Amino acid sequence: MDNPTTDSNAASATNGAPHGSSVGTPASAKARRTALLGAVFLMATSAIGPGFLTQTATFTAKLGAAFAFAILISVILDIAIQLNVWRVIAVSGRRAQELGNAVIPGLGWFMSALIVIGGVVFNIGNVGGAGLGTNAMLGVDPKIGGIVTAVLAIGFFLSRRAGVALDRVLVVLGVVMIVVTAIVAFSSNPPVGQALKNTVWPETIDLLAIITLVGGTVGGYITYAGAHRMLDSGAGGVEHLAETTRSSVTSIIVTAIMRFLLFLAVLGVVTAGAVLNVKGNPAAEAFQFAAGDWGMRFFGVVLWAAGISSIVGASYTSATFLTKSSGAGSKTQNTVTIVLIALSTALFAIIGTAPATLLVFAGAFNGLVLPIGVTVLIYVALFRTDLMNGYRYPKWLAAVGIVGVAVAWFLAWRSFGGVFEMLG
């Protein structure tokens, strides 16, 4: 149960935090709900990138029905992290890097540097993924398809009503991915009963799969995508905490639905005897096995939608880490977002997909964003009531967040372990 704020000015202070951001403060309950829905799908579609598709297909091919348990546990851990991230940012009215700088001067800018470096590198892959999607969908040259998709993404931020356009497009993209994947899952005739049984009583438990899923769903910039969008839309504040809580949980559930449908689609073809090349493109192979040539086109639709939504999510969130959450900075934020998309696209056009070594390093540094950020947020929630506008943070929620912090630091340790292994 939410505790009331002890500061009579808290509600007004937090509700005014965005100060007329890029989309302005919602004028009605309906507008606020639309803004929160946009934040939900920004976080969800940011998580569902090209890597998400390959990751899910690879683990399904390896673990079979037992992968369902890994999905369930990762969802629980993801919710624990997002509940705390959204609430602290909503109540404080400050972005993650602003809280970091308030706790230790310069820490927030260090977080920003990690976010931006990782965002640009991984966005090269997102542009490439979108290009491969256009190739599978329409037969377009992947490089041309990727560049055209990036230009389209830039168009969202050139609109006078960029925020509204972004919210609506992300919802459409999310729904399209879910519907298309559901069609393929139905076509593959998966053993649903076996999958449901393994969800709660797995034949095997793979810790690596669970940790990898958590990092892929709420790691790096994805952790803050929805919460920062919420602030920009003016939908934060103590008085709207119930809606904020529902939105933070819903964002993870949307991602989980997509993950589970993709899992079922791949499980169906694996159970039927198909052998997927996990070193190639197992998700594409699964779609093709399930629905033939149309399956490959369906995969193209999903991959393209995942690519463009991740381009938008990575660039937008990176921009929020480089600009102030104020109305005066809204145009600057859109400009920075456009520059980041253009930079990633230019690098893609020059070097193609980012080299594996660069991806490993970017992944390791980006992996620090989750543990550092969540540690800062939990510290603020428990010990910096001045930053929380007098709000008394629920102890049970903080305890859940501490579990999330432990998982986040373990993820970071594994990431840097991979770097040291590569260097050794």
Side-chain angles (χ1 to χ4, degrees):
M1 179 175 162
D2 295 338
N3 291 314
T5 178
T6 56
D7 187 341
S8 61
N9 295 323
S12 60
T14 53
N15 191 42
H19 305 302
S21 56
S22 56
V23 291
T25 303
S28 66
K30 181 179 179 181
R32 188 172 64 251
R33 286 193 297 270
T34 300
L36 284 171
L37 185 63
V40 164
F41 274 87
L42 176 65
M43 183 270 147
T45 55
S46 293
I48 307 170
F52 174 101
L53 304 177
T54 300
Q55 188 185 81
T56 303
T58 299
F59 277 118
T60 304
K62 176 185 175 183
L63 301 174
F67 184 49
F69 179 76
I71 295 175
L72 174 64
I73 298 302
S74 69
V75 168
I76 293 173
L77 291 172
D78 292 340
I79 288 175
I81 292 170
Q82 284 295 294
L83 275 173
N84 282 280
V85 169
W86 283 57
R87 179 169 297 227
V88 174
I89 288 176
V91 173
S92 68
R94 295 173 171 87
R95 292 173 175 173
Q97 78 274 17
E98 293 169 340
L99 291 172
N101 283 330
V103 172
I104 301 177
L107 178 59
W109 293 120
F110 176 67
M111 293 167 58
S112 298
L114 296 177
I115 285 280
V116 173
I117 292 171
V120 170
V121 172
F122 286 116
N123 238 0
I124 298 172
N126 292 332
V127 175
L132 291 174
T134 60
N135 178 259
M137 183 171 47
L138 302 171
V140 176
D141 180 274
K143 181 164 286 190
I144 294 176
I147 294 173
V148 170
T149 300
V151 171
L152 181 61
I154 288 175
F156 297 151
F157 296 95
L158 292 175
S159 168
R160 289 185 177 180
R161 303 185 66 193
V164 175
L166 182 64
D167 292 338
R168 291 176 179 174
V169 168
L170 289 172
V171 171
V172 171
L173 289 173
V175 171
V176 166
M177 285 189 281
I178 289 173
V179 170
V180 171
T181 306
I183 293 172
V184 176
F186 179 80
S187 301
S188 72
N189 192 29
V192 177
Q194 186 181 359
L196 292 176
K197 177 184 175 182
N198 274 268
T199 302
V200 295
W201 194 263
E203 297 168 2
T204 182
I205 298 176
D206 191 317
L207 181 60
L208 175 62
I210 296 172
I211 296 299
T212 302
L213 292 191
V214 173
T217 306
V218 295
Y221 77 90
I222 301 170
T223 311
Y224 314 100
H228 281 194
R229 180 77 193 105
M230 170 193 64
L231 278 191
D232 272 2
S233 65
V238 175
E239 67 275 30
H240 302 312
L241 271 185
E243 293 171 288
T244 299
T245 300
R246 284 195 300 271
S247 298
S248 63
V249 174
T250 302
S251 65
I252 297 299
I253 291 176
V254 171
T255 308
I257 290 172
M258 179 63 186
R259 176 93 68 183
F260 200 76
L261 287 173
L262 182 58
F263 155 69
L264 289 177
V266 178
L267 181 63
V269 301
V270 171
T271 303
V275 178
L276 304 180
N277 179 13
V278 295
K279 293 184 178 180
N281 195 336
E285 292 180 8
F287 273 59
Q288 190 166 30
F289 273 120
D293 290 339
W294 275 105
M296 182 56 71
R297 294 186 184 278
F298 284 154
F299 175 75
V301 172
V302 173
L303 183 58
W304 179 81
I308 189 172
S309 59
S310 293
I311 291 169
V312 169
S315 303
Y316 166 81
T317 309
S318 295
T320 66
F321 272 82
L322 293 175
T323 55
K324 295 181 179 180
S325 53
S326 65
S330 61
K331 291 184 178 179
T332 301
Q333 180 174 297
N334 284 346
T335 300
V336 171
T337 304
I338 291 170
V339 169
L340 290 172
I341 296 175
L343 175 60
S344 300
T345 306
L347 291 173
F348 166 72
I350 295 170
I351 66 175
T353 304
T357 303
L358 187 58
L359 287 172
V360 170
F361 274 99
F365 290 122
N366 206 40
L368 283 174
V369 177
L370 177 60
I372 292 174
V374 177
T375 299
V376 167
L377 295 180
I378 295 299
Y379 173 79
V380 168
L382 292 176
F383 304 110
R384 293 295 301 270
T385 55
D386 57 321
L387 296 176
M388 293 292 285
N389 300 297
Y391 175 77
R392 294 197 300 269
Y393 204 79
K395 294 296 187 291
W396 69 268
L397 187 55
V400 169
I402 290 172
V403 174
V405 168
V407 172
W409 280 111
F410 180 72
L411 279 167
W413 175 76
R414 284 195 61 88
S415 294
F416 274 94
V419 171
F420 294 140
E421 182 179 337
M422 182 183 67
L423 292 176

